[in-house]
Amino acid sequence: DELAIAQVLLRMAEYTRSGEAFYGLADASEDQYLSLLIAEAAASGRAASSQERPWVNSASVYDGRAG
């Protein structure tokens, strides 16, 4: 976890210099959505299923469209 935090801090510093995005709203939204599904499944003891969300076609750092 410490290495991940350090990497985020480095990328945030780079963002302030260059404006190059590294973790956009679409990625954050998807991560939060999946976190909520995991919590729901853990609380209920049942499998949770995901559905396509509105941000799925937004820019993502994972597919090279962000920036």
Side-chain angles (χ1 to χ4, degrees):
D1 287 343
E2 290 83 5
L3 293 176
I5 292 168
Q7 185 66 28
V8 167
L9 292 173
L10 288 171
R11 288 183 173 205
M12 287 173 72
E14 179 60 29
Y15 172 73
T16 63
R17 287 190 293 275
S18 71
E20 184 178 339
F22 69 95
Y23 185 69
L25 181 58
D27 296 318
S29 298
E30 186 68 12
D31 289 347
Q32 180 62 23
Y33 175 62
L34 294 175
S35 176
L36 292 170
L37 286 176
I38 291 167
E40 176 186 315
S44 70
R46 297 187 309 255
S49 59
S50 64
Q51 299 177 7
E52 188 172 288
R53 306 311 302 166
W55 55 80
V56 75
N57 292 319
S58 299
S60 171
V61 296
Y62 301 116
D63 64 12
R65 292 185 286 161

